Amino acid sequence: MNIVYADADGRLYDSQTLLAAGRTGRAATWIDDVEWIPLPEGAALVSLPHSRALGFDPITGALKAMPAVNHAVGALLPQGFTRLYLPAYHKQAGSEPYPLFGYTAVGFDKGRFYVAATQSDDPTPWNPLQYTADATAAKVANMRQKFPQNRLYEHLSQCALDYECMTARNTFFARQEGAIPVSSTCNARCIGCISEQPDDAGFVSPQTRLTVRPSVDEMVELMVHHLRTTGDDGVISFGQGCEGDPSLRGREIAAAIACTREATQTGAININTNAGLTSQIRSIVDAGLDLMRVSIISAMPDHYHAYYRPRGYTFADVEASARYASDHGVIVSLNYLNFPGVSDTEEEVEAMIRFVHRTGVRLVQLRNLNIDPDVYLDQIPERISECGGEPLGILAMIDALTSECPGLRIGSYTHPPSWYHEMQR
């Protein structure tokens, strides 16, 4: 597998003298043939400026750097695919952090691009190519004409048109999982939050956070329309990338769920949350929640706290919320932000297995952490960032989770309740 690099103008080339390398944690490494898959439809290749691409000499096995004029290249994967390795590169000291994307190692062989990744779910429902700009604009216009006073549709218009958010687009097309952002504030200060960053973060959030405070009536109007239209396989989700944590509006969400269920029993109601406010989560669960996805980067408290920087809650509260929801019939999944060389160490894997057992989690949604790798590694505890244990590999991590947690599913996005029932047959 040849190394892929870009020139100063962004043109892509493959090297005839160096083999593609990957990165796990801070270390460059070989990538086995079985860890490469063809570049998926909907993926994008991007140049990593101020970097020198690294590859292996096929004769000596030595790690070498391309000339400084040639930059490393990474792939941005669509939903349904989990990266196994980061791109291998040496970054110029003092250069600005990379934008908030999940960069994956890229190679080239026999006329095709490959990525170091595995398919973790069916990518078809979330293929970004299914919605054209013109069709989206028409759907947005129709829905806003139908609900002219609902500020949720107004806000989601920008998400669908400008940010090309698939969940927002689903809302206007009345398909699959729809979005209902409700909270402009958050009780965490995540490193690399995509909707809000402090001025000294060094990088810019790619989205604008919600500024309105939707009323219960606005929530119910959107929820009822989406669930009635999509039917039993439809999902409406609180907690989107354009907002803070929805549980801060737990009382209003509980009221909206209760009103929605008086109007329709179809579809499923989901919340994506850090689950730190257990009292609010209990109210939401008791109101009739069907699905809950808990955002998590580690089941070790010091690592979790270093990334999320929670305000007014701890990792113990997250666990209590997940356990309560699971005990009361809610299907609980994890939005697991994983990172090669960290998530797949023995310590991390064992902690996650214990967490799944304690909380009754049914699905682990593997999400590629969107951040400059060095920014992330510099912020988490040193014993973790410096690879206190030899990484097992992301594939081995997945195998360990499924083998040690009977009934646990691995995926990439939220599924309706019927999907879990089908898996049990």
Side-chain angles (χ1 to χ4, degrees), residues 19 27 128 164 249 263 269 325 342 380:
L19 299 179
E164 300 181 3
R249 299 198 65 196
I269 300 172
V342 174
I380 63 177

Side-chain angles (χ1 to χ4, degrees), residues 25-106:
R26 297 189 187 276
T29 184
W30 290 92
I31 302 176
D32 292 338
D33 290 344
V34 295
E35 296 174 307
W36 291 105
I37 62 172
L39 183 73
E41 184 179 53
L45 298 178
V46 296
S47 173
L48 301 178
H50 311 296
S51 71
R52 297 179 67 178
L54 302 178
F56 288 105
D57 186 307
I59 298 176
T60 66
L63 183 68
K64 295 183 177 181
M66 298 288 293
V69 294
N70 299 321
H71 303 150
V73 172
L76 311 181
L77 301 177
Q79 284 274 48
F81 294 90
T82 299
R83 73 177 167 197
L84 304 181
Y85 295 93
L86 304 156
Y89 59 86
H90 177 75
K91 192 176 182 183
Q92 180 180 325
S95 57
E96 294 183 355
Y98 292 140
L100 298 173
F101 296 117
Y103 304 98
T104 302
V106 180

Side-chain angles (χ1 to χ4, degrees), residues 23 25 48 75-76 83 86-87 89 91 96-104 189-194 197 201-204 206 297 303 306-309 337-340 342 367-380:
R23 175 178 168 182
L48 301 178
L76 311 181
R83 73 177 167 197
L86 304 156
Y89 59 86
K91 192 176 182 183
E96 294 183 355
Y98 292 140
L100 298 173
F101 296 117
Y103 304 98
T104 302
R189 296 165 293 160
C190 303
I191 302 168
C193 174
I194 64 172
Q197 288 294 326
F203 41 79
V204 178
I297 199 166
H303 183 185
Y307 176 80
Y308 283 93
R309 299 183 291 184
L337 308 175
N338 64 92
F339 187 93
V342 174
R367 296 299 182 93
N368 305 313
L369 180 61
N370 291 340
I371 199 170
D372 182 309
D374 296 315
V375 170
Y376 166 65
L377 291 171
D378 288 344
Q379 295 293 324
I380 63 177

Side-chain angles (χ1 to χ4, degrees), residues 226-240:
H226 189 78
L227 296 178
R228 279 179 175 171
T229 308
T230 55
D232 288 338
D233 288 336
V235 177
I236 192 68
S237 291
F238 295 96
Q240 301 299 314

Side-chain angles (χ1 to χ4, degrees), residues 40-167:
E41 184 179 53
L45 298 178
V46 296
S47 173
L48 301 178
H50 311 296
S51 71
R52 297 179 67 178
L54 302 178
F56 288 105
D57 186 307
I59 298 176
T60 66
L63 183 68
K64 295 183 177 181
M66 298 288 293
V69 294
N70 299 321
H71 303 150
V73 172
L76 311 181
L77 301 177
Q79 284 274 48
F81 294 90
T82 299
R83 73 177 167 197
L84 304 181
Y85 295 93
L86 304 156
Y89 59 86
H90 177 75
K91 192 176 182 183
Q92 180 180 325
S95 57
E96 294 183 355
Y98 292 140
L100 298 173
F101 296 117
Y103 304 98
T104 302
V106 180
F108 190 86
D109 184 52
K110 298 177 182 177
R112 299 185 69 179
F113 287 105
Y114 288 80
V115 291
T118 186
Q119 184 176 326
S120 48
D121 216 323
D122 178 6
T124 306
W126 292 89
N127 188 327
L129 301 181
Q130 67 184 284
Y131 294 141
T132 66
D134 289 344
T136 301
K139 289 291 187 180
V140 167
N142 290 339
M143 197 72 82
R144 292 193 63 181
Q145 184 178 26
K146 187 172 184 177
F147 301 106
Q149 303 302 316
N150 194 315
R151 294 171 297 168
L152 276 166
Y153 287 111
E154 179 182 356
H155 170 79
L156 289 170
S157 297
Q158 182 183 22
C159 302
L161 296 172
D162 297 342
Y163 303 137
E164 300 181 3
C165 170
M166 282 289 292
T167 319

Side-chain angles (χ1 to χ4, degrees), residues 186-191 245 247 272-278 293-322 334-337 342 347-348 351-352 355 358 369 376 379-381 383-384:
C186 195
N187 56 339
R189 296 165 293 160
C190 303
I191 302 168
D245 196 89
S247 66
N272 305 314
T273 174
N274 60 39
L277 298 180
T278 304
R293 187 180 76 183
V294 178
S295 183
I296 193 171
I297 199 166
S298 172
M300 294 193 294
D302 60 341
H303 183 185
Y304 178 93
H305 290 163
Y307 176 80
Y308 283 93
R309 299 183 291 184
R311 294 180 286 197
Y313 76 94
T314 68
F315 182 72
D317 297 308
V318 177
E319 181 171 327
S321 297
L334 299 181
N335 184 52
Y336 188 18
L337 308 175
V342 174
E347 184 181 22
E348 289 280 352
M352 186 59 67
F355 181 80
R358 293 195 304 267
L369 180 61
Y376 166 65
Q379 295 293 324
I380 63 177
R383 67 176 179 81
I384 298 170

